[in-house]
């Protein structure tokens, strides 16, 4: 057994084996014993960072404010939007699989509204991700809608989430919600707290489960981000459901002159949420006035290969 296969086997044992996917139709059928014994399934799309900037910071993102990708981590992070923000990301995976993300957020007086979509296509070899008896066509789709209310420096937000997992002709669905709060002092610092998947799956008959993730973070800019030099640090503590806590430390530094420049970032996590994921990540951003081109690299992630991610962020 290769190291990658061993990592997936250990992860499956802790997070509801994906190899049980072919048993879903039997498990849902009335009167079958399998309905009582089939393990719950954790959607893999939940473990794919929606924001490339967050991916380069080892998943830390609860206190990254002002980007559209905040709809996936902490809805209150939309609070510092000036007008409109757009974000997109792409990550290729083994077996012609891929993950693509899109998010849009806009400000309406004291409110911020955001929507996001993330799709994980299992590619031509779905057995790699869904077990040896997986259907020939399989994918997962995550949809998020967020609403934020801001008063002074404090923002309160909530998101409604929907996950659909398609395996051949079988669809499994999950519904849940996130809640978050952020205290942002302009572009200088932000303190944030969020709970993702607060109540597991509201669809009681579904085989999908949505494990809760609680996050607390602090982000600090040591220089004015509107000036030429950029220097930022972030600290985040995560509490995955039924597991120990995790600490992430990261930072960004760079130079932007006349709206054009380069910003690098690096982060380290004390322990990965998914066993086998590398503890260090890094990335960079090419800044072009209001457009940012992001890159992130992780030596090993839940899809069991070096992860290269590309993204775009636009603020108007």
């Amino acid at each position: 057994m290769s190291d990658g296969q061993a990592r997936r086997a250990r992860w499956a044992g802790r997070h509801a084996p994906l190899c049980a996917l072919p048993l879903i139709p039997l498990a849902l059928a009335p009167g079958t014993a399998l309905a009582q014994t089939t393990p719950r399934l954790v959607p893999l799309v939940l473990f794919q960072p929606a924001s490339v900037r967050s991916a380069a910071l080892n998943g830390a993102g609860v206190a990254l404010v002002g980007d559209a990708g905040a709809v996936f981590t902490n809805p209150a992070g939309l609070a510092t939007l000036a007008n409109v923000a757009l974000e997109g990301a792409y990550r290729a995976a083994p077996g012609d699989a891929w993950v693509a993300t899109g998010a849009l957020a806009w400000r309406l007086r004291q409110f911020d509204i955001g929507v996001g979509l993330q799709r994980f296509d299992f590619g031509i070899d779905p057995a790699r991700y869904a077990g040896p008896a997986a259907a020939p066509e399989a994918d997962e789709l995550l949809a998020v809608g967020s609403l934020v209310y801001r008063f002074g420096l404090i923002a309160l937000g909530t998101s409604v989430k929907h996950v659909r997992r398609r395996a051949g002709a079988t669809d499994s669905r999950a519904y849940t919600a996130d809640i978050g709060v952020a205290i942002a002092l302009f572009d200088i610092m932000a303190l944030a707290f969020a709970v993702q998947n607060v109540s597991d799956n509201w669809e009681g008959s579904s085989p999908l489960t949505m494990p809760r993730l609680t996050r607390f973070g602090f982000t600090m800019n040591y220089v004015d981000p509107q000036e030429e030099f950029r220097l930022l640090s972030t600290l985040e503590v995560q509490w995955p459901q039924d597991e120990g806590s995790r600490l992430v430390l990261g930072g960004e530094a760079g130079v932007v002159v006349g709206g054009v420049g380069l910003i690098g970032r690096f982060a380290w996590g004390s322990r990965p949420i998914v066993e086998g994921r590398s503890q260090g990540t890094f990335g960079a951003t090419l800044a072009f006035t209001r457009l940012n081109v992001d890159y992130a690299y992780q030596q090993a992630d839940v899809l069991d290969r070096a992860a290269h991610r590309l993204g775009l962020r636009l603020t108007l």
Side-chain angles (χ1 to χ4, degrees):
M1 179 181 293
S2 68
D3 291 343
Q5 290 173 327
R7 284 200 300 268
R8 283 198 298 272
R10 290 193 295 269
W11 181 84
R14 296 163 58 192
H15 291 283
L18 296 178
C19 59
L21 184 62
L23 300 180
I24 291 175
L26 293 176
L28 297 180
T32 63
L34 285 173
Q36 305 299 322
T37 61
T38 301
R40 303 294 297 279
L41 304 174
V42 181
L44 277 173
V45 71
L46 297 180
F47 297 95
Q48 293 301 303
S51 164
V52 176
R53 184 186 183 195
S54 175
L57 292 171
N58 213 310
V62 70
L64 294 179
V65 298
D67 295 331
V71 297
F72 293 99
T73 53
N74 179 10
L78 301 176
T80 59
L81 285 177
N83 294 292
V84 178
L86 298 123
E87 187 165 347
Y90 180 82
R91 181 254 202 266
D96 284 342
W98 50 268
V99 182
T101 305
L104 168 66
W106 61 97
R107 179 177 178 177
L108 295 173
R109 297 181 182 274
Q110 293 300 112
F111 294 91
D112 296 281
I113 299 172
V115 293
L117 287 173
Q118 186 173 35
R119 184 185 177 194
F120 176 22
D121 190 301
F122 288 4
I124 61 174
D125 185 19
R128 181 187 292 266
Y129 308 104
E137 294 184 0
D139 64 13
E140 293 177 348
L141 181 69
L142 168 63
V144 182
S146 301
L147 178 64
V148 183
Y149 176 68
R150 297 174 296 110
F151 50 98
L153 301 178
I154 302 174
L156 301 175
T158 185
S159 297
V160 176
K161 300 170 69 173
H162 166 59
V163 172
R164 185 217 67 196
R165 181 170 194 166
R166 181 176 63 93
T170 301
D171 278 359
S172 303
R173 299 179 182 272
Y175 302 88
T176 189
D178 298 347
I179 57 173
V181 58
I183 302 173
L185 180 60
F186 306 107
D187 294 329
I188 304 303
M189 59 81 66
L191 190 69
F193 174 82
V195 181
Q196 296 179 264
N197 311 322
V198 294
S199 56
D200 201 346
N201 185 359
W202 297 338
E203 184 67 45
S205 61
S206 171
L208 300 181
T209 185
M210 306 283 280
R212 185 174 60 255
L213 177 61
T214 305
R215 310 163 72 140
F216 172 80
F218 174 75
T219 297
M220 181 74 183
N221 272 299
Y222 299 96
V223 295
D224 188 343
Q226 304 302 318
E227 301 296 334
E228 294 180 352
F229 295 100
R230 307 292 170 89
L231 183 61
L232 172 147
S233 69
T234 185
L235 178 151
E236 182 167 319
V237 183
Q238 302 174 351
W239 293 272
Q241 183 175 333
D242 301 326
E243 297 189 31
S245 61
R246 176 177 186 251
L247 174 67
V248 181
L249 298 172
E252 299 180 347
V255 177
V256 179
V257 179
V260 179
L262 177 65
I263 302 168
R265 56 183 59 93
F266 172 81
W268 173 86
S270 61
R271 57 183 299 273
I273 293 178
V274 178
E275 188 174 350
R277 181 181 291 184
S278 55
Q279 292 181 277
T281 56
F282 64 85
T285 292
L286 288 174
F288 301 96
T289 312
R290 297 184 180 274
L291 176 66
N292 293 285
V293 182
D294 298 321
Y295 168 76
Y297 174 79
Q298 187 170 20
Q299 186 176 9
D301 72 350
V302 69
L303 302 186
D304 195 32
R305 195 179 79 173
H308 300 271
R309 292 182 172 88
L310 292 173
L312 296 173
R313 287 179 291 132
L314 177 66
T315 56
L316 301 173

